Amino acid sequence: MPIEMLKGLPFSVDTWSSKSSTKNHFLTHAHKDHTQGICIYGSYPIYCSRLTRTLVLQHFPQLDGSFFVGIEVGQCIVIKDPDGDFTVTALDANHCPGALMFLYEGKFGNLLHTGDCRLTIECLQQLPLKYVGTPGKEPKCQIDCIFLDCTFGQSPLKMPSRQSAMQQIINCIWKHPQAPTVYLTCDLLGHEDILMHVSQTFGCKIYVDKAKTPECFQALELMVPEILSEDTSSRFQLFDGFPKLYQRAEAKIAQARSDSQHEPLIIRASAQWYACDDGSSDIESWKKGKCDQPVRDIFGVWHICYSIHSSKEELEWALQLLAPRWVISTTPSCKALELDYVKRLFNQHRNFNDPFWQLLGFSMDVESEVDIETAPDVVEVSSSPLAKCNAQDYAENSQSTTSSFSICRQSNPSPSSKTAAPVTLFGRARLGLNGSYFKHEEKEPILPDENAVIRCSDELEVISLKKEEVVVEAGKAFAVSESLDIMSKESLMHTETENCIFESAVGLSNSYNPSLRKLYRSMHVPVPRPLPSLTELMNATKRARRRRLLYTETFRLPAFCILCVHYNFMKK
């Protein structure tokens, strides 16, 4: 499901709601998940490719065709807007026929919206050279923000290229010459190349059931009518993937076996099976790791890793070359946080006084707190014109909650603020949810006091203490003993030396950085405590070794004496 754009931008992309009904609309491609609500909220102008316009009007004939404004790959247009003119450049998204990426340039900065895409070197070469760097060298002009398709941002799969995957399909068919029928599960917009390649390689047309898959038939008739066949006995047939693909595949194979015929060949070209971890067996999981060759599952379906979305490796490579200041995931599950590039930007982000946070409605005063579910999946290196030009406008409306972000700005969170937030700009999976760096807890957060002093009498629970002396001085706990056994949920004891080392390493000590305190307060999570003393842990390990050595030597001496007596006895 696409995401709402930033408040203040004069356009929306793939979103059709009351919030985006008055903007300039852009449609990246014709997949149904990107056109939900277009019949209700679609209005002039809607910028898209001519092929996308035709496909959308086939799906939604009630739409007015005059709403659409054509823009093709490589075309650059200037859009007049009351808030300031801006330039839009259309780029090939390498996703499906008619799919586009949009590069926006205006007073809000330089933004790239990828829509759904499969980023390759050819895609990046379409961008102006000033936006594309080289390995080890940043571009001359940085893109302020990329709205990035991170569908497979969490998957470590080494996906083959689309050409390589199509060759795997051809090889799979060659290896099964006895199969009387070849069923191709390629009914999705974006799989036309597979059908075309198979038809040209084997010189056969492909049967498509118009009654079962009318939309697919219309799309193929529009783009590749020469490969379609109405002969139901054709060897190559389109097999709709859903619903109940595996049940229908098993039924086809069982029917062939009962008729004493060769089994049909059922091929599914998709990366979803490889990326989905649905509790498969070890053998099945091992098969899913083999993306360079066809794999047959337990249902008899042959899988080929054909993807029209970028792999994690391709996303990392593209981000290294583009070096954007911000990255926003267009997938609601916030998979951008799994990318190494985004993690580095996130770790570098510490400036809460940046105008961009004001644009989002966050107040970073000491007493203010922000619900963790409203923390955005945005990472930033430096400010951009987008934040600067909108921060002042947003401040005028800061008394109300922003509708496009569902940002909650409050000093004293009320119980109602803990209700689940709707799917908004960054989806449900934000900082504190699955896959994030901080875990959201329902219990009351534990915050450091004004001087961030660890008070032994209030926060430490001493369970057992043997042969030790604990000295508490100026909020620091010094442990002097040979066997220190302090067990507590919040036991935090450091030597003075280790406190200095730990502070220099991660910035946490008895004297917390002010921005760090604000960070944890805004996240509604307990402030982390210093780790146990490494010196004490090492000393404990050494003492254990000495005890084991002493124990061994104690039993080794009698054994040696027995051997000596036995030796003397045998000698006599």
Side-chain angles (χ1 to χ4, degrees), residues 17 32-33 51-52 56 80 101 219 249 282 291 298 301 303 315 325 393 395 412 426 429 432 444 450 469 540 542:
S17 65
K32 285 188 175 181
D33 58 328
L51 180 56
T52 297
V56 170
K80 303 294 182 178
M101 300 188 295
D282 293 340
C291 299
I298 58 177
V301 178
H303 295 270
L315 292 176
R325 292 189 175 97
D393 296 338
N412 299 313
F426 308 105
E444 189 69 15
E450 189 64 24
E469 178 183 0
K542 292 179 180 179

Short mmCIF file of all heavy atoms in Angstrom, two decimals, residues 17 32-33 51-52 56 80 101 219 249 282 291 298 301 303 315 325 393 395 412 426 429 432 444 450 469 540 542:
data_model
loop_
_atom_site.label_atom_id
_atom_site.label_comp_id
_atom_site.label_asym_id
_atom_site.label_seq_id
_atom_site.Cartn_x
_atom_site.Cartn_y
_atom_site.Cartn_z
N SER A 17 -6.95 9.73 -1.54
CA SER A 17 -7.70 9.90 -0.31
C SER A 17 -8.11 11.36 -0.20
O SER A 17 -7.76 12.20 -1.05
CB SER A 17 -6.87 9.49 0.91
OG SER A 17 -5.75 10.35 1.06
N LYS A 32 -3.08 -2.72 -9.03
CA LYS A 32 -4.28 -2.33 -8.29
C LYS A 32 -3.98 -1.77 -6.91
O LYS A 32 -4.74 -0.94 -6.40
CB LYS A 32 -5.23 -3.53 -8.17
CG LYS A 32 -5.96 -3.85 -9.46
CD LYS A 32 -7.02 -4.91 -9.24
CE LYS A 32 -7.83 -5.15 -10.51
NZ LYS A 32 -8.89 -6.18 -10.32
N ASP A 33 -2.90 -2.22 -6.28
CA ASP A 33 -2.60 -1.68 -4.95
C ASP A 33 -2.16 -0.22 -5.00
O ASP A 33 -2.06 0.43 -3.97
CB ASP A 33 -1.54 -2.54 -4.25
CG ASP A 33 -0.25 -2.61 -5.05
OD1 ASP A 33 -0.31 -2.57 -6.28
OD2 ASP A 33 0.83 -2.72 -4.43
N LEU A 51 0.43 4.19 -21.54
CA LEU A 51 0.07 2.80 -21.35
C LEU A 51 -0.61 2.58 -20.00
O LEU A 51 -1.61 1.85 -19.90
CB LEU A 51 1.31 1.91 -21.47
CG LEU A 51 1.09 0.40 -21.29
CD1 LEU A 51 0.04 -0.11 -22.28
CD2 LEU A 51 2.40 -0.36 -21.44
N THR A 52 -0.11 3.23 -18.97
CA THR A 52 -0.74 3.14 -17.65
C THR A 52 -2.16 3.70 -17.70
O THR A 52 -3.10 3.12 -17.12
CB THR A 52 0.09 3.89 -16.60
OG1 THR A 52 1.37 3.26 -16.47
CG2 THR A 52 -0.60 3.89 -15.25
N VAL A 56 -5.45 1.49 -16.75
CA VAL A 56 -6.31 1.92 -15.65
C VAL A 56 -7.74 2.10 -16.14
O VAL A 56 -8.71 1.72 -15.45
CB VAL A 56 -5.77 3.22 -15.02
CG1 VAL A 56 -6.78 3.81 -14.04
CG2 VAL A 56 -4.46 2.96 -14.31
N LYS A 80 2.96 24.21 -13.17
CA LYS A 80 2.63 25.47 -12.52
C LYS A 80 1.84 25.17 -11.25
O LYS A 80 0.87 24.41 -11.27
CB LYS A 80 1.81 26.35 -13.46
CG LYS A 80 2.47 26.65 -14.79
CD LYS A 80 3.73 27.49 -14.62
CE LYS A 80 4.35 27.82 -15.98
NZ LYS A 80 5.55 28.68 -15.82
N MET A 101 9.38 6.12 -12.59
CA MET A 101 9.87 6.81 -11.41
C MET A 101 9.79 8.30 -11.71
O MET A 101 9.87 8.71 -12.87
CB MET A 101 11.31 6.41 -11.07
CG MET A 101 11.52 4.94 -10.80
SD MET A 101 13.19 4.56 -10.18
CE MET A 101 14.20 5.01 -11.60
N ALA A 219 -4.94 -7.11 -20.95
CA ALA A 219 -3.62 -6.50 -20.93
C ALA A 219 -2.71 -7.13 -21.98
O ALA A 219 -1.98 -6.43 -22.69
CB ALA A 219 -3.01 -6.62 -19.54
N ALA A 249 -2.53 -27.16 -8.36
CA ALA A 249 -1.37 -27.84 -8.95
C ALA A 249 -1.37 -29.31 -8.57
O ALA A 249 -1.12 -30.19 -9.43
CB ALA A 249 -0.08 -27.16 -8.47
N ASP A 282 13.71 -27.81 6.92
CA ASP A 282 15.10 -27.47 6.63
C ASP A 282 15.43 -27.70 5.16
O ASP A 282 16.15 -26.90 4.55
CB ASP A 282 16.03 -28.31 7.51
CG ASP A 282 15.89 -27.95 8.98
OD1 ASP A 282 15.40 -26.84 9.27
OD2 ASP A 282 16.26 -28.78 9.84
N CYS A 291 18.78 -19.67 -5.67
CA CYS A 291 18.07 -18.79 -6.60
C CYS A 291 18.60 -18.88 -8.02
O CYS A 291 18.04 -18.25 -8.92
CB CYS A 291 18.14 -17.34 -6.12
SG CYS A 291 17.39 -17.07 -4.51
N ILE A 298 7.23 -29.20 -2.56
CA ILE A 298 6.57 -30.45 -2.19
C ILE A 298 5.23 -30.64 -2.91
O ILE A 298 4.69 -31.73 -2.91
CB ILE A 298 6.35 -30.50 -0.67
CG1 ILE A 298 5.51 -29.32 -0.20
CG2 ILE A 298 7.69 -30.53 0.06
CD1 ILE A 298 5.18 -29.33 1.28
N VAL A 301 5.28 -27.85 -7.82
CA VAL A 301 5.42 -26.59 -8.56
C VAL A 301 6.90 -26.24 -8.66
O VAL A 301 7.63 -26.27 -7.66
CB VAL A 301 4.64 -25.46 -7.87
CG1 VAL A 301 4.84 -24.14 -8.62
CG2 VAL A 301 3.16 -25.81 -7.78
N HIS A 303 9.72 -23.48 -9.08
CA HIS A 303 9.86 -22.06 -8.78
C HIS A 303 11.12 -21.50 -9.43
O HIS A 303 12.18 -22.13 -9.40
CB HIS A 303 9.93 -21.83 -7.27
CG HIS A 303 8.67 -22.19 -6.55
ND1 HIS A 303 7.65 -21.28 -6.32
CD2 HIS A 303 8.25 -23.36 -6.01
CE1 HIS A 303 6.67 -21.88 -5.68
NE2 HIS A 303 7.01 -23.14 -5.47
N LEU A 315 19.50 -2.49 -3.71
CA LEU A 315 19.14 -1.26 -3.00
C LEU A 315 20.37 -0.63 -2.34
O LEU A 315 20.56 0.60 -2.41
CB LEU A 315 18.07 -1.55 -1.96
CG LEU A 315 16.69 -1.96 -2.48
CD1 LEU A 315 15.77 -2.33 -1.32
CD2 LEU A 315 16.07 -0.86 -3.32
N ARG A 325 20.18 12.28 1.25
CA ARG A 325 20.19 12.76 2.63
C ARG A 325 19.12 12.06 3.47
O ARG A 325 19.31 11.81 4.65
CB ARG A 325 19.95 14.28 2.65
CG ARG A 325 21.10 15.09 2.07
CD ARG A 325 20.88 16.58 2.33
NE ARG A 325 22.03 17.36 1.90
CZ ARG A 325 22.10 17.98 0.73
NH1 ARG A 325 21.08 17.90 -0.11
NH2 ARG A 325 23.16 18.67 0.38
N ASP A 393 5.71 27.31 7.89
CA ASP A 393 4.29 27.14 7.62
C ASP A 393 3.66 26.15 8.58
O ASP A 393 2.52 26.32 9.01
CB ASP A 393 4.08 26.65 6.17
CG ASP A 393 4.54 27.68 5.17
OD1 ASP A 393 4.61 28.87 5.55
OD2 ASP A 393 4.84 27.30 4.02
N ALA A 395 4.64 25.51 11.62
CA ALA A 395 4.59 26.05 12.98
C ALA A 395 3.31 26.82 13.22
O ALA A 395 2.79 26.88 14.33
CB ALA A 395 5.81 26.94 13.23
N ASN A 412 1.82 15.53 28.18
CA ASN A 412 1.42 14.47 29.09
C ASN A 412 0.60 13.46 28.33
O ASN A 412 -0.58 13.69 28.07
CB ASN A 412 0.62 15.04 30.27
CG ASN A 412 1.44 16.02 31.06
OD1 ASN A 412 2.58 15.75 31.39
ND2 ASN A 412 0.86 17.19 31.37
N PHE A 426 4.63 6.42 7.38
CA PHE A 426 5.66 5.43 7.55
C PHE A 426 5.11 4.08 7.96
O PHE A 426 5.84 3.21 8.41
CB PHE A 426 6.69 5.90 8.59
CG PHE A 426 7.20 7.28 8.28
CD1 PHE A 426 6.78 8.35 9.00
CD2 PHE A 426 8.06 7.47 7.22
CE1 PHE A 426 7.23 9.62 8.69
CE2 PHE A 426 8.50 8.72 6.91
CZ PHE A 426 8.10 9.80 7.65
N ALA A 429 5.00 -0.17 11.27
CA ALA A 429 6.28 -0.64 11.82
C ALA A 429 7.24 0.53 11.90
O ALA A 429 7.90 0.87 10.95
CB ALA A 429 6.87 -1.75 10.96
N GLY A 432 10.54 0.99 17.58
CA GLY A 432 9.87 0.39 18.72
C GLY A 432 9.01 -0.77 18.36
O GLY A 432 8.62 -1.53 19.22
N GLU A 444 5.50 1.92 32.52
CA GLU A 444 5.98 3.28 32.67
C GLU A 444 7.48 3.33 32.45
O GLU A 444 8.24 2.55 33.02
CB GLU A 444 5.64 3.80 34.07
CG GLU A 444 5.89 5.28 34.26
CD GLU A 444 4.92 6.14 33.45
OE1 GLU A 444 3.92 5.58 33.00
OE2 GLU A 444 5.17 7.35 33.29
N GLU A 450 17.83 14.45 37.11
CA GLU A 450 18.42 15.64 36.51
C GLU A 450 19.91 15.49 36.30
O GLU A 450 20.47 15.94 35.30
CB GLU A 450 18.12 16.85 37.42
CG GLU A 450 18.49 18.18 36.80
CD GLU A 450 17.66 18.47 35.55
OE1 GLU A 450 16.56 17.92 35.43
OE2 GLU A 450 18.12 19.26 34.71
N GLU A 469 33.38 -5.31 49.87
CA GLU A 469 33.16 -4.01 50.46
C GLU A 469 32.68 -3.09 49.35
O GLU A 469 33.34 -2.96 48.34
CB GLU A 469 34.46 -3.47 51.06
CG GLU A 469 34.29 -2.07 51.66
CD GLU A 469 35.60 -1.52 52.19
OE1 GLU A 469 36.59 -2.25 52.07
OE2 GLU A 469 35.62 -0.39 52.67
N ALA A 540 36.49 -12.72 37.45
CA ALA A 540 35.70 -13.88 37.85
C ALA A 540 36.08 -15.11 37.03
O ALA A 540 36.16 -16.23 37.54
CB ALA A 540 34.21 -13.59 37.71
N LYS A 542 39.01 -15.65 35.63
CA LYS A 542 40.34 -16.10 36.07
C LYS A 542 40.26 -16.88 37.37
O LYS A 542 40.93 -17.89 37.56
CB LYS A 542 41.25 -14.88 36.23
CG LYS A 542 41.59 -14.19 34.92
CD LYS A 542 42.48 -12.98 35.14
CE LYS A 542 42.82 -12.29 33.83
NZ LYS A 542 43.65 -11.09 34.05
#
